[in-house]
Amino acid sequence: MEIDPFIFRLSIFILSIFIGYYVVWSVTPSLHTPLMSVTNAISSVIIVGAIIAALAGTSESIFNTSSIFGFIAIILAAINIFGGFLVTQRMLQMYKKKKDKKK
Amino acid sequence: MISANLAAIFYLVSGILFILALRGLSSPDTSRQGNYFGIAGMIIAIVVTFLSIGNFSTSLVYVIIFLVIGGAIGAFIAIKIPMTAMPELVAGFHSLVGLAAVFVAIAAFLNPAVFNLGNIGDIKLASLIEMSIGAAVGAITFSGSIIAFLKLRGIMSGAPIIFSGQHILNLILGIGIFVLIFYLCKTQSSNIFWTVIIISFLVGVLLIIPIGGADMPVVISMLNSYSGWAAAGIGFTLENTALIITGALVGSSGAILSYIMCKAMNRSFVSVILGGFGADSSTDDKKEKKDQKPVKSGNAEDAAFLMKNASSVIIVPGYGMAVAQAQHALREMVDKLKKNDIKVTYAIHPVAGRMPGHMNVLLAEANVPYDEVFELEDINNDFANSDVAFVIGANDVTNPVAKTDPKSPIFGMPVLDVEKCKSVLFVKRSLSPGYAGIDNELFYRDNTLMLFADAKKMTEDIVKNLD
């Protein structure tokens, strides 16, 4: 009997939960805020679904009922992607060691 | 146009890059590199999506325009936002992920053919379940995060909103969502799909309104987790590995942070969800007690004198410091102390601030080197060997009651042992209790000197007196 592809996706999902578990425990507590902002940014990879939906419109009707939701989702996800990565970068730039100090 | 298999491999690559992005955060040294891995993963995912669709019609131009509009808004916010507002920002971003998940699910429901999920009215069963779960969790994340945002921003009162039958209502609505999804699968009716989304919006609101301001760090972490699960649900619908991996990572990350926050407050996750913590409890009877107990209070001169004659000082910052914007003045004070060869370190409680790690970011912004900042378990033993503890804007996390009084609502919560220091300087505007609504026994100790003032003003005055 053939294995349903769903099972493979489920396997990836469950293994990723385990990876997430161990990786996140190793994150230093002082970086928990950047952790949240970066997870925010990466979860916006949902934009791939939005792009697929948005590109489904035909040339006569670029904005049909389905694609319009895709377009709005693109804006939302893009705010998150740019905002999330940039604000993370801004925060991480501030973390400095003692010896880096100029004063 | 690239083949589906090749695209899947690229999605896997971007998933791995996201794992590396989180991995980088294990130390500030590697974190910046980690962030670049994350950005690379995102670029790969987006480019591969364009290539795999291969539709380069006018639609593409619009997609790019919308992408740029969203990107510009996001970049603008990211550059302008003050670090004190980080919790609101993160809550706001969570709501966007949630709403994006809802919209993608709606788009997939209205036009299943583009996603290879079957046809309208005849969507594959598994896909239908996945997309409705994704949509429901997304909707809860959206409305819940909006409430969290409003509370953190101060637009809505942080006090818990509680009404009778609240939990039963939530339970009924929760079960209702599952029943509706079951019928949705049977009938494929779009009305049921819309109803599921609307009820989920409602559940999100109802879930967050009873949770008080003190529990906000848990709420933000929890919503972080939800946004991940929503993304994973959509990932299953779209059969996209990058999305499934990311959803799982973010989901478990948020769950771990919620756990850490709950533990730091010695509260169970269930009691946080049920809410009601931080509502004021019989304040009258406490006020009377307060009048009887003597409090030693001093001014900036006394504080400066104490610190100048100390050999080691531990700073205990809390959210009050951030509100007063005192971090830069504090840094100035510390610089002066260091010039006098006084050892200065910072002690941070896990729930100091409004979100996990918030205080560390605020100190980093004020150019405090991260290797002078210590977590609770690393520094707690040092209080006994230190001369002065300078508590600025923190309150409940220093309350010795948590160790001594089993009746106290915060009993058992890990606290910073500031009272073991030779002397404690406590900067506070008044004797009012903190978030937990309880009196801090520390105020009345013999070795405590209260400095009644605004945190920033007091710190600046101390700086002047240190010369």
Side-chain angles (χ1 to χ4, degrees), chain A:
Chain A
M1 213 179 88
E2 217 181 320
I3 301 171
D4 191 310
F6 172 78
I7 302 299
F8 286 116
R9 285 192 284 276
L10 190 67
S11 315
I12 293 172
F13 179 62
I14 291 171
L15 289 173
S16 303
I17 293 178
F18 276 89
I19 294 174
Y21 180 85
Y22 290 108
V23 169
V24 171
W25 271 119
S26 74
V27 171
T28 162
S30 66
L31 290 175
H32 276 161
T33 298
L35 170 70
M36 291 190 106
S37 60
V38 84
T39 50
N40 230 314
I42 63 173
S43 56
S44 302
V45 72
I46 200 156
I47 198 167
V48 301
I51 294 172
I52 297 171
L55 285 180
T58 52
S59 40
E60 300 95 63
S61 61
I62 292 168
F63 299 103
N64 59 38
T65 42
S66 156
S67 71
I68 194 88
F69 280 107
F71 277 112
I72 302 171
I74 287 179
I75 292 197
L76 298 175
I79 293 177
N80 243 331
I81 293 171
F82 283 77
F85 281 124
L86 271 172
V87 87
T88 309
Q89 193 67 20
R90 226 185 106 194
M91 278 191 270
L92 296 177
Q93 225 90 58
M94 300 184 315
Y95 281 80
K96 289 186 189 94
K97 255 197 186 156
K98 225 183 273 174
K99 54 183 170 219
D100 294 354
K101 249 184 351 178
K102 277 170 226 148
K103 285 171 214 168

Side-chain angles (χ1 to χ4, degrees), chain B residues 235-295:
Chain B
F236 275 102
T237 318
L238 305 183
E239 308 183 348
N240 183 305
T241 356
L243 206 41
I244 294 175
I245 295 175
T246 315
L249 291 178
V250 178
S252 51
S253 160
I256 291 171
L257 290 176
S258 318
Y259 170 80
I260 295 175
M261 289 298 112
C262 282
K263 227 180 109 206
M265 295 194 289
N266 190 39
R267 314 242 292 116
S268 78
F269 192 65
V270 176
S271 74
V272 172
I273 298 296
L274 294 182
F277 193 67
D280 48 15
S281 53
S282 62
T283 36
D284 297 336
D285 124 272
K286 263 170 203 150
K287 261 180 204 149
E288 278 166 34
K289 266 196 241 159
K290 222 183 269 174
D291 294 337
Q292 292 160 5
K293 280 194 264 181
V295 171

